Amino acid sequence: MRDVMKYAMMCVMAIVVWQSAMAQSRQRTTRYRIVAERAGVSLPADTSVVTDSVAYLTLSGYDKPLRASHEVLFVSNATGRDVVSVCLDVVYEDMQGRQLHRRRCDVPADVPAGETRQIIMPTWDRQRSFYYKGSTRPKRTEATAYEVRCSVVSYAVKNQIED
């Protein structure tokens, strides 16, 4: 009987030692204190955001072929100051005028005063199943054409440093 008790006690101790060893070797697989960051353009301290007089920026030449991962367009700057980023409101509609998607995006844009530059932004079409109606028509017949309306919400300009 004494041997049975001794054997049972050793088994219990082995289980306790095994469990404590397993508890210490666990690995945490989740992240600790994740903080979401606002996507967009971070502006240097020497810039100002302008929300009025957005008529001084002209958008033109939008393009997004079927397989493109980015959308491109041109920004013409008539503000008299260097533009460093543009906030756009973009509305995507099918050929019957139904809204497919709408987004507001901050796009870095280095556009000197009085000049025009091409800006590039990631596409809204992650599945690559839509193409802009003004782009080359794809050979694939399952692709859907869309129209786009783009407007400037605000823009950031470099501050003038006076001597």
Side-chain angles (χ1 to χ4, degrees):
M1 176 83 170
R2 203 163 200 216
D3 288 338
V4 172
M5 283 296 273
K6 190 176 181 182
Y7 178 74
M9 201 60 154
M10 288 180 67
C11 286
V12 168
M13 288 179 65
I15 290 172
V16 169
V17 169
W18 178 75
Q19 283 183 340
S20 66
M22 291 304 291
Q24 290 176 358
S25 67
R26 282 190 204 154
Q27 182 177 6
R28 184 182 179 135
T29 59
T30 58
R31 292 190 155 192
Y32 182 67
R33 292 187 186 175
I34 296 176
V35 177
E37 293 181 14
R38 183 178 181 270
V41 179
S42 61
L43 299 173
D46 65 342
T47 59
S48 298
V49 175
V50 180
T51 56
D52 59 347
S53 304
V54 291
Y56 292 113
L57 291 182
T58 306
L59 304 175
S60 61
Y62 176 88
D63 190 32
K64 192 265 180 201
L66 179 65
R67 297 285 180 206
S69 61
H70 290 84
E71 302 168 34
V72 296
L73 65 137
F74 293 96
V75 177
S76 298
N77 179 2
T79 65
R81 299 171 75 183
D82 295 344
V83 172
V84 295
S85 75
V86 180
C87 179
L88 301 173
D89 182 41
V90 188
V91 179
Y92 305 91
E93 297 175 341
D94 66 8
M95 300 311 290
Q96 288 74 39
R98 296 176 297 215
Q99 183 174 333
L100 298 169
H101 186 65
R102 182 179 196 148
R103 69 177 175 158
R104 184 170 284 193
C105 49
D106 294 318
V107 184
D110 184 19
V111 187
E115 296 190 18
T116 300
R117 293 287 189 273
Q118 183 184 57
I119 60 172
I120 300 171
M121 56 188 171
T123 187
W124 66 282
D125 177 24
R126 306 280 171 129
Q127 298 293 327
R128 311 289 198 288
S129 55
F130 294 91
Y131 68 96
Y132 176 61
K133 71 172 186 171
S135 297
T136 56
R137 185 178 172 93
K139 295 178 183 176
R140 200 174 101 183
T141 58
E142 310 86 57
T144 305
Y146 69 91
E147 295 184 24
V148 67
R149 285 186 289 126
C150 229
S151 60
V152 177
V153 176
S154 64
Y155 58 93
V157 295
K158 288 183 183 176
N159 289 332
Q160 302 294 333
I161 299 173
E162 298 180 19
D163 294 326

